[in-house]
Amino acid sequence: MASSIENNNEKLTLKSSDGEEFLVEKHVALQSTLLQNMLDSDCSSADVIPLPKIDARTLALVLGYCKKHADASSSKQGELNSFDSEFLKDMDMGALFNLVLAANFMEIKGLLDIAAQKIADTIKDKPHQEVREIFHVENDYTPEEEAAVREENRWAFEGFP
Amino acid sequence: MDDLPALPILEAPSRPNSPSPTHIYDLPEELIVEEILNRLGSVDLARIRSVSFTFYDFSTEFRSINLHCNLDSYTNSGRPITPFKIFATDLILRMGGVNSISISVEERANHKSIDIKLDDLHLMEGYID
């Protein structure tokens, strides 16, 4: 199998959790350490590689990222940075969470980093009430408990409502 | 593999009946803490304890303190400022197993009008309400 990995024209098929199949060039798939290890260990002899934790919409995004990064040379880092910013621009929080899960499962560190950073940047310097709205998290404190937690960390609320 | 029929490549299907969006609590705690919240400074982490009990628990998982001196917090408020020393002491007491503390300051080269007294970053002295 090692010799076939060197052939960039070879393709493999990935199947999402909801049954969509994607034909992918191997050099693109190799952006994923999980797939690389499968190919290295000859575990991918099946015609179709199932990815049961990743839906088609997310897998399409992941493969779009992988294709761009696989095709770009290292001398185009600025171009890749611009692509990464544009790639995540206007992406909703649910899609970002799916990307984090998929990148973690497929072991694509660069994608995991930019998606997680985007989420962190979204809540950075935000009031906790806004963080609840961004993440759709229910406030399970009583008013008294919330006030007590806030008082514990009073210095962290300087300049915040 | 060569005999496979033509398949869609990199095309996201339209799914009007797709399941409800993924929620942050659908992520493993390890990913939330180490990959997402770990990218925030300690002041943000302390503040988001007020989001929910679950976020409070997340905040106890950290072993490092990252304090960033934000220029806006000084220049905009004009109000008393709690010194970093108080932040760090408070965090150490609440976190239990702190392994490292890092302190940074926002680039101020272009902000000549800053009060010279701020140069000490309020590490040791300051005003407490």
Side-chain angles (χ1 to χ4, degrees):
Chain A
M1 183 57 67
S3 60
S4 65
I5 295 174
E6 294 166 8
N7 182 349
N8 284 350
N9 293 323
E10 284 195 55
K11 295 181 178 179
L12 51 89
T13 304
L14 307 178
K15 186 174 184 178
S16 68
S17 61
D18 41 359
E20 294 285 339
E21 294 189 350
F22 294 81
L23 190 60
V24 184
E25 293 172 310
K26 266 186 182 167
H27 80 286
V28 172
L30 289 178
Q31 292 288 306
S32 159
T33 303
L34 172 75
L35 294 176
Q36 184 174 18
N37 289 340
M38 290 176 72
L39 292 168
D40 286 346
S41 59
D42 205 16
C43 292
S44 60
S45 54
D47 285 344
V48 178
I49 298 175
L51 296 170
K53 294 185 175 182
I54 306 173
D55 64 29
R57 185 182 296 275
T58 304
L59 186 54
L61 290 169
V62 170
L63 295 177
Y65 171 91
C66 289
K67 179 168 176 53
K68 181 68 180 180
H69 281 253
D71 290 344
S73 70
S74 58
S75 62
K76 294 182 177 177
Q77 189 56 50
E79 182 185 322
L80 282 179
N81 291 342
S82 299
F83 168 82
D84 289 350
S85 298
E86 197 63 27
F87 178 68
L88 298 176
K89 188 179 176 185
D90 300 329
M91 193 173 286
D92 64 61
M93 198 52 70
L96 285 169
F97 291 147
N98 283 334
L99 269 187
V100 166
L101 286 167
N104 183 61
F105 178 70
M106 294 179 72
E107 299 177 66
I108 307 170
K109 187 175 185 318
L111 179 58
L112 177 58
D113 280 344
I114 63 167
Q117 188 65 54
K118 173 79 173 180
I119 296 169
D121 288 345
T122 304
I123 60 171
K124 185 180 177 186
D125 297 330
K126 295 286 196 307
H128 67 287
Q129 301 94 329
E130 196 171 333
V131 174
R132 281 187 196 127
E133 292 173 10
I134 291 169
F135 286 155
H136 301 290
V137 169
E138 182 184 354
N139 177 14
D140 52 4
Y141 287 121
T142 65
E144 294 76 18
E145 288 168 339
E146 183 176 344
V149 172
R150 182 173 174 134
E151 181 60 23
E152 276 183 8
N153 306 279
R154 188 164 40 145
W155 46 267
F157 287 88
E158 289 171 349
F160 285 87
Chain B
M1 185 89 54
D2 290 339
D3 296 326
L4 287 170
L7 296 168
I9 302 177
L10 311 182
E11 188 173 336
S14 173
R15 295 186 178 282
N17 298 319
S18 57
S20 57
T22 302
H23 189 275
I24 189 167
Y25 291 160
D26 294 328
L27 272 60
E29 181 175 329
E30 174 187 314
L31 278 181
I32 297 172
V33 171
E34 294 180 13
E35 295 294 343
I36 298 173
L37 301 183
N38 198 34
R39 297 171 190 271
L40 297 172
S42 292
V43 178
D44 276 316
L45 284 177
R47 199 167 50 252
I48 66 170
R49 286 173 177 160
S50 297
V51 168
S52 69
F53 278 114
T54 305
F55 270 76
Y56 191 100
D57 289 342
F58 291 155
S59 76
T60 63
E61 299 294 320
F62 291 90
R63 295 292 172 263
S64 62
I65 292 174
N66 298 303
L67 293 174
H68 180 69
C69 175
N70 187 329
L71 200 61
D72 289 340
S73 68
Y74 292 114
T75 57
N76 290 345
S77 69
R79 291 176 295 199
I81 298 163
T82 306
F84 274 15
K85 182 182 178 182
I86 301 295
F87 293 11
T89 305
D90 206 26
L91 287 165
I92 290 168
L93 289 174
R94 294 187 195 290
M95 290 169 65
V98 175
N99 293 328
S100 67
I101 301 176
S102 116
I103 295 176
S104 60
V105 61
E106 187 172 336
E107 174 59 53
R108 60 179 62 199
N110 296 323
H111 300 274
K112 304 292 186 186
S113 62
I114 297 303
D115 187 332
I116 194 165
K117 287 187 292 187
L118 297 180
D119 284 347
D120 67 3
L121 304 184
H122 292 280
L123 286 170
M124 303 301 291
E125 303 295 337
Y127 308 94
I128 307 172
D129 290 339

